[in-house]
Amino acid sequence: QVQLVESGGGLVQAGGSLRLSCAASGSIFAINAMGWYRQAPGKQRDLVATITSGGTPNYADSVKGRFTISRDNAKNTVYLQMNSLKPEDTAVYYCNADAITKGTYYYANYWGQGTQVTVSS
């Protein structure tokens, strides 16, 4: 199994910055794409950003130019630097990863528990 643990959420004023981290642990053989999703109250969970194992990022239009995703493959960790935060960025942010566990031969999808980000106006 793979565990994803997020950190770095909190309360920030509009225009401020936060950096989220997500560390993967467990019986990991390999990790492919990693990413961040978010879910605001009463809304569906939406893509924020993803990054391939080679470092190619993909962003939702709503965060382009403000958020930057990166990863450290040696640490099995993905980061999300969030700048120029807006009240509409308020949500629970979830880490996601496609990983192969030792003894298996296929990728499975894993989710973290989520971390709350609140942006006040």
Side-chain angles (χ1 to χ4, degrees):
Q1 278 287 3
V2 175
Q3 295 79 42
L4 301 178
V5 178
E6 302 105 333
S7 61
L11 172 64
V12 65
Q13 288 187 332
S17 299
L18 283 175
R19 188 189 194 215
L20 305 183
S21 300
C22 171
S25 63
S27 186
I28 299 170
F29 178 75
I31 300 178
N32 192 12
M34 302 184 79
W36 293 93
Y37 292 72
R38 66 187 181 186
Q39 187 167 19
K43 296 188 176 182
Q44 66 181 20
R45 189 174 297 186
D46 291 327
L47 168 74
V48 176
T50 61
I51 186 167
T52 67
S53 57
T56 299
N58 177 58
Y59 297 97
D61 288 343
S62 59
V63 306
K64 282 181 181 177
R66 300 187 298 121
F67 292 10
T68 301
I69 189 170
S70 60
R71 65 189 285 173
D72 184 333
N73 290 334
K75 296 181 179 179
N76 289 333
T77 300
V78 63
Y79 306 96
L80 186 68
Q81 177 66 44
M82 305 185 293
N83 298 328
S84 302
L85 282 160
K86 304 175 181 180
E88 51 263 44
D89 295 317
T90 295
V92 178
Y93 283 69
Y94 295 92
C95 179
N96 181 268
D98 289 328
I100 297 176
T101 54
K102 296 175 182 176
T104 68
Y105 303 93
Y106 57 88
Y107 281 103
N109 190 255
Y110 298 91
W111 290 94
Q113 297 276 40
T115 184
Q116 176 71 45
V117 172
T118 303
V119 184
S120 63
S121 57

